[in-house]
Amino acid sequence: MQRHAWPMQRPMGAWYRDGTPRGISLHAGCGRKLMMAAAYSSAQTEALKASIAAACSRAQEEALASAQRASHASQGIDDRPQLRPQLLTAIEALQRGLVERDTEVRLLLLAALAQEHILFIGPPGTAKSELGRRLAQLYRGAFFERLLTRFSVPEELFGPLSMKALEHDEYKRKTTGYLPSASVAFVDEIFKANSAILNSLLTIINERLFDNGSVREKVPLRCLVGASNELPESEELDALYDRFLLRRQVAQVSPAGLMELLSSPRSQVPQATALASPGSQTHTAAPLLVDDSWAGLRGEAMALVEVPSRVLQLLADLRKHMQEEREPPTYISDRWLVKAVVLLQVAAWTCGRRRVLEFDALLLRNVLCYRPEDEGHVTNWLLQHIAAEDGLRQPRFLLKSLFGRACAVAVSAKPDVDLAQEVEALRSVLLRKLAGVLTLMQDDVTGISTHLWFGHADARRFVTALKPRLKATATDTQRLLAEVIGLQHAIEAGLDSTHLADLLPGVWADFIRNADMSDVRPLGTRSIEVVRSKYSMQP
């Protein structure tokens, strides 16, 4: 294989194709002059390196300050100073006496605040009904509960027909005390719904409307909690399944939790009482949330909470992955995505922020999943992409291109009027990228650990998974930013290609390895025999 010397202007040594130098002996006559020139050049290079190091330090301080400003800007909301303590009290009241139902309780309350519906799926005897009933005990509005069977009739959900209305040839129902008049509802075995009640049920859940005779009435329903032992098996029930924005697989208590469930007195673990005596009143609490608070939170969040473009792109990429790359594919409708964004806004607002952060998207593991096994897949995908290094691929490519142009300018002495401006633009991009990563590193520990809507076990798992990835991404971004700053200073100093190689050896080696020979040869690469002959060097 032919070896190449880089560059022809550098008589002190030859360079292989991989960018590494090869020592060459010199004649005594020219060696002294070349060594003096090298010493002078080395002094200039060291001074320039010191200047670059100072510039890199200033850039990192600027990125850190920007990250701190961004983190501070998303915090410090005083519009509802009483909201977080009230929600923490509500979560504690909902959790009291339940074993390993931390995440389910938080999702249940979040669904109610966002005015969305939640579905609990799991085997019998996992306290799904107890979870549904507890929400009503924290809310003063009307509560409706029903267990469906395949033989359930519309009167069980929507109320009996009005005899007085029939006397006037009107087909109306007496809805007081039934689903059309409820603010919170719990429907057990919801997928047992038959075609006789399905259309009206879909309209109530999705549009909050009920067709009572010839009149379409508004329904005050804020949140419907559904429970089922199994997924829907018919296509007509898929529409009902689609109406639940939040879906949570409720598993059996773990062996460690089972000991607590079985050994503690039932007065301390009402979950055991609920499982032993279904239908018994296991928990009472004074209402902590009122209708006005619920109605206002969602609107405030939609109006005041910003959703950054990077979060929206994360959602778009996730949908593309689930629909085009996942096997079997999962269809995610536009309605799901729009409602998911509102859910994230409510989650951020209730956590005391005016901006949705990327780790808030981890809530979507219970939204953008159709099958129970999708939950773990979505979680892993989000953890990988929240701290992904993929955003550095394009800057690396641009740096290599700009470096090649800088070398060409150094050899040909032809000006490239846009080069300095494009290098500065790349520096600005990387500076923003570094500030974003540092913001996540500052927020992930405190933000995730104190997040209202992540269970404690889930929060610890998310932090453990994200911290090393974010640290690696920050290190790679800092390294790339330093190389861009080095190139920027080299262009300003008017360095030739020889000194560019000394100043940025990593970029140089990558350029030599990967660039086309048509780009490398004009810079002065010659066979090592030609270099020896030109400078009278001994092999």
Side-chain angles (χ1 to χ4, degrees):
M1 182 178 71
Q2 185 185 30
R3 300 189 183 277
H4 293 81
W6 182 267
M8 62 174 287
Q9 296 93 338
R10 184 177 186 177
M12 286 298 295
W15 294 74
Y16 291 130
R17 175 64 172 162
D18 64 358
T20 58
R22 174 180 177 180
I24 298 175
S25 301
L26 302 176
H27 279 298
C30 64
R32 185 176 180 182
K33 293 182 180 180
L34 292 177
M35 290 176 65
M36 292 175 61
Y40 177 74
S41 173
S42 176
Q44 286 185 318
T45 302
E46 291 302 320
L48 190 57
K49 286 181 178 180
S51 176
I52 292 172
C56 291
S57 179
R58 290 193 299 269
Q60 291 184 15
E61 291 175 359
E62 181 182 349
L64 183 58
S66 177
Q68 291 173 344
R69 289 193 300 270
S71 180
H72 179 73
S74 64
Q75 305 290 335
I77 296 175
D78 295 324
D79 301 86
R80 285 179 173 265
Q82 78 288 353
L83 179 60
R84 184 179 179 88
Q86 188 179 19
L87 292 176
L88 287 172
T89 303
I91 291 172
E92 182 182 355
L94 287 170
Q95 289 178 340
R96 189 174 298 125
L98 295 180
V99 178
E100 295 184 355
R101 294 295 177 259
D102 187 14
T103 299
E104 287 79 5
V105 161
R106 294 171 188 269
L107 292 176
L108 176 65
L109 186 55
L110 176 61
L113 295 173
Q115 300 180 25
E116 291 295 345
H117 312 299
I118 184 169
L119 175 68
F120 292 123
I121 304 173
T126 51
K128 299 187 299 295
S129 301
E130 176 68 11
L131 287 166
R133 295 188 184 103
R134 286 198 171 199
L135 182 60
Q137 297 170 357
L138 291 174
Y139 182 64
R140 290 194 180 98
F143 175 68
F144 175 80
E145 178 182 356
R146 191 68 74 231
L147 170 65
L148 295 185
T149 69
R150 298 191 183 278
F151 306 102
S152 295
V153 294
E155 285 74 15
E156 296 181 39
L157 284 177
F158 312 124
L161 291 174
S162 171
M163 297 296 103
K164 290 184 178 181
L166 287 175
E167 293 175 358
H168 298 86
D169 295 330
E170 295 180 357
Y171 190 88
K172 288 188 176 182
R173 295 186 181 274
K174 299 175 65 175
T175 59
T176 303
Y178 291 87
L179 182 58
S181 65
S183 297
V184 179
F186 171 63
V187 181
D188 203 358
E189 295 299 336
I190 192 167
F191 294 127
K192 295 293 198 307
N194 53 55
S195 57
I197 62 177
L198 193 56
N199 288 339
S200 296
L201 184 59
L202 290 174
T203 305
I204 289 176
I205 292 177
N206 191 49
E207 303 174 31
R208 265 75 168 191
L209 296 172
F210 176 65
D211 293 322
N212 196 0
S214 60
V215 179
R216 174 161 280 196
E217 301 175 349
K218 284 189 175 182
V219 174
L221 184 65
R222 300 293 184 187
C223 178
L224 185 143
V225 182
S228 177
N229 297 333
E230 56 191 6
L231 291 172
E233 298 178 352
S234 62
E235 292 185 1
E236 65 178 3
L237 292 175
D238 286 343
L240 179 59
Y241 185 61
D242 184 69
R243 296 306 190 271
F244 290 94
L245 181 66
L246 288 156
R247 298 94 176 262
R248 175 66 179 178
Q249 184 77 13
V250 183
Q252 288 183 316
V253 175
S254 68
L258 186 61
M259 296 303 297
E260 179 184 355
L261 181 67
L262 297 179
S263 60
S264 299
R266 291 185 179 179
S267 59
Q268 297 179 14
V269 186
Q271 181 177 348
T273 303
L275 296 175
S277 305
S280 60
Q281 186 70 20
T282 61
H283 179 67
T284 57
L288 300 173
L289 298 175
V290 296
D291 189 55
D292 292 341
S293 298
W294 286 30
L297 275 176
R298 187 173 186 270
E300 290 172 4
M302 293 176 65
L304 299 175
V305 176
E306 174 193 357
V307 185
S309 58
R310 63 179 181 271
V311 175
L312 297 177
Q313 187 61 51
L314 188 68
L315 301 188
D317 292 343
L318 177 56
R319 179 165 85 159
K320 179 180 179 181
H321 171 75
M322 296 298 291
Q323 293 189 162
E324 299 179 10
E325 302 171 10
R326 173 78 164 151
E327 288 296 338
T330 299
Y331 175 74
I332 298 175
S333 66
D334 295 341
R335 179 176 67 245
W336 269 12
L337 282 182
V338 172
K339 289 191 172 188
V341 170
V342 176
L343 183 76
L344 296 182
Q345 289 177 301
V346 173
W349 179 250
T350 50
C351 287
R353 288 186 270 108
R354 288 182 179 266
R355 179 181 299 169
V356 176
L357 299 179
E358 287 178 273
F359 62 71
D360 289 322
L362 289 166
L363 289 168
L364 300 184
R365 65 200 179 102
N366 295 113
V367 175
L368 303 182
C369 56
Y370 189 83
R371 298 170 294 271
E373 58 268 22
D374 288 343
E375 181 177 333
H377 181 82
V378 171
T379 302
N380 292 333
W381 189 94
L382 286 170
L383 288 172
Q384 291 173 4
H385 286 75
I386 286 174
E389 192 190 347
D390 296 344
L392 297 179
R393 292 179 181 176
Q394 186 176 7
R396 284 195 184 99
F397 177 80
L398 290 175
L399 174 60
K400 185 173 70 173
S401 174
L402 294 171
F403 184 83
R405 288 166 58 184
C407 290
V409 169
V411 172
S412 65
K414 294 180 180 179
D416 189 334
V417 294
D418 298 327
L419 180 59
Q421 184 177 357
E422 292 180 23
V423 173
E424 171 60 25
L426 181 57
R427 189 193 76 89
S428 299
V429 169
L430 288 172
L431 200 60
R432 289 194 297 271
K433 170 71 175 176
L434 180 59
V437 176
L438 293 177
T439 300
L440 283 175
M441 292 181 67
Q442 289 178 359
D443 291 342
D444 64 352
V445 177
T446 58
I448 294 178
S449 300
T450 62
H451 204 287
L452 280 174
W453 311 117
F454 294 148
H456 296 305
D458 289 336
R460 288 192 296 270
R461 180 162 63 96
F462 296 157
V463 170
T464 301
L466 283 175
K467 284 184 70 174
R469 292 185 176 127
L470 288 171
K471 186 175 181 180
T473 301
T475 301
D476 291 342
T477 306
Q478 289 171 342
R479 184 182 300 114
L480 190 58
L481 178 60
E483 291 173 342
V484 171
I485 292 174
L487 178 61
Q488 194 173 32
H489 279 65
I491 294 173
E492 293 174 356
L495 295 186
D496 58 22
S497 54
T498 304
H499 295 93
L500 279 173
D502 284 337
L503 194 63
L504 301 169
V507 183
W508 174 261
D510 181 64
F511 178 74
I512 290 297
R513 282 193 299 266
N514 300 315
D516 293 333
M517 281 305 300
S518 59
D519 296 328
V520 175
R521 191 175 296 279
L523 303 182
T525 300
R526 304 289 183 85
S527 65
I528 204 162
E529 288 78 10
V530 173
V531 174
R532 288 172 180 157
S533 174
K534 182 177 179 63
Y535 293 103
S536 302
M537 298 179 181
Q538 296 177 355

